[in-house]
Amino acid sequence: YLAGNKMIYNNIEELKKQNNIATEYINAALAFIEQVRHNPEIAEGTYSIVGNDVYANIETYQTRALENTRYESHRNYIDIQYMIWGREQIAVTDISELSIEEPYHAKKDIIFYKDSLVGEKYLITDGDFLVLYPYDAHRPCITVDDESVQVKKMVIKVKCR
C-alpha cells in the first residue's frame, strides 16, 4: 500500500519532465504512452509492457451520464488513465468516503462502490492523464456538459510493490 502518494493529474508533457520520481514500471508505462501518442490509430486491445506487472488496455467507447457510471478501485495495480482522443470527466475520491456495493473481485482486481456524489471531477482531453492509486476510488466515462461523445482511452495497469 503506497501511503503518502496522491493521485496525479496532469498533461503527459509535464509528467515527462518529472520522470525522476517514477519507478522503472512507471518509466516503462511512460515509454508506451509516448509510442501511443505518435500512433493514435493503435488497435484496441490489451498490450503487455512488462509482463503482467505493467500492461495497457485500449478501448473506444461513448461517455455516459453520471448516473450511468460508478466508482471503482483496485488493490494490486495503479491506474494511469490516458486520453488518446476525446474528452471525459473522471470523479475521484478516497475509498474511505464510499460504501462497497460489490466486494473485491480478485481475478479482475476491482471493487465497485455504491452511488455517491462525493469526489472531485477532473476533465481529461487529448494527452491528459490521471495516475490513480489503490485508495483513489474513481468514476470514469462521465460526459462533459451532458454531451455523450466517443473517446479512445488507454488505461495502463502498473503493479504495486
Side-chain angles (χ1 to χ4, degrees):
Y1 206 56
L2 302 166
N5 290 325
K6 296 291 183 195
M7 176 211 60
I8 300 170
Y9 168 69
N10 214 327
N11 187 279
I12 195 65
E13 287 299 322
E14 293 302 313
L15 184 63
K16 286 180 0 186
K17 295 175 189 171
Q18 300 172 23
N19 70 1
N20 60 324
I21 63 170
T23 67
E24 66 273 11
Y25 286 170
I26 296 292
N27 287 332
L30 289 174
F32 192 75
I33 289 171
E34 195 62 28
Q35 291 175 26
V36 171
R37 274 187 67 211
H38 297 294
N39 181 22
E41 294 79 28
I42 189 170
E44 293 182 49
T46 301
Y47 294 82
S48 175
I49 300 169
V50 181
N52 291 327
D53 291 337
V54 184
Y55 63 93
N57 293 317
I58 298 175
E59 63 180 318
T60 303
Y61 57 87
Q62 289 291 128
T63 57
R64 303 186 298 272
L66 178 69
E67 60 270 12
N68 295 323
T69 65
R70 59 186 177 165
Y71 273 110
E72 63 185 61
S73 70
H74 314 284
R75 288 186 181 167
N76 296 319
Y77 287 87
I78 294 167
D79 270 9
I80 301 175
Q81 299 212 6
Y82 173 76
M83 185 61 69
I84 298 170
W85 51 258
R87 63 185 190 150
E88 75 176 32
Q89 294 182 95
I90 300 177
V92 180
T93 194
D94 191 278
I95 58 174
S96 66
E97 299 292 320
L98 301 171
S99 299
I100 294 174
E101 181 176 51
E102 291 180 28
Y104 181 67
H105 188 289
K107 187 174 181 179
K108 294 182 179 181
D109 187 41
I110 197 162
I111 302 168
F112 288 107
Y113 297 88
K114 293 179 182 170
D115 192 33
S116 174
L117 297 178
V118 301
E120 187 169 344
K121 288 183 189 164
Y122 296 88
L123 171 66
I124 63 170
T125 63
D126 302 9
D128 291 340
F129 67 93
L130 284 171
V131 178
L132 299 155
Y133 290 91
Y135 46 79
D136 292 319
H138 46 285
R139 191 175 190 165
C141 311
I142 302 170
T143 59
V144 177
D145 299 326
D146 296 320
E147 179 186 357
S148 179
V149 298
Q150 189 174 58
V151 302
K152 186 171 188 181
K153 188 168 78 173
M154 173 169 62
V155 178
I156 298 182
K157 310 295 274 183
V158 180
K159 189 158 184 86
C160 297
R161 294 183 172 222

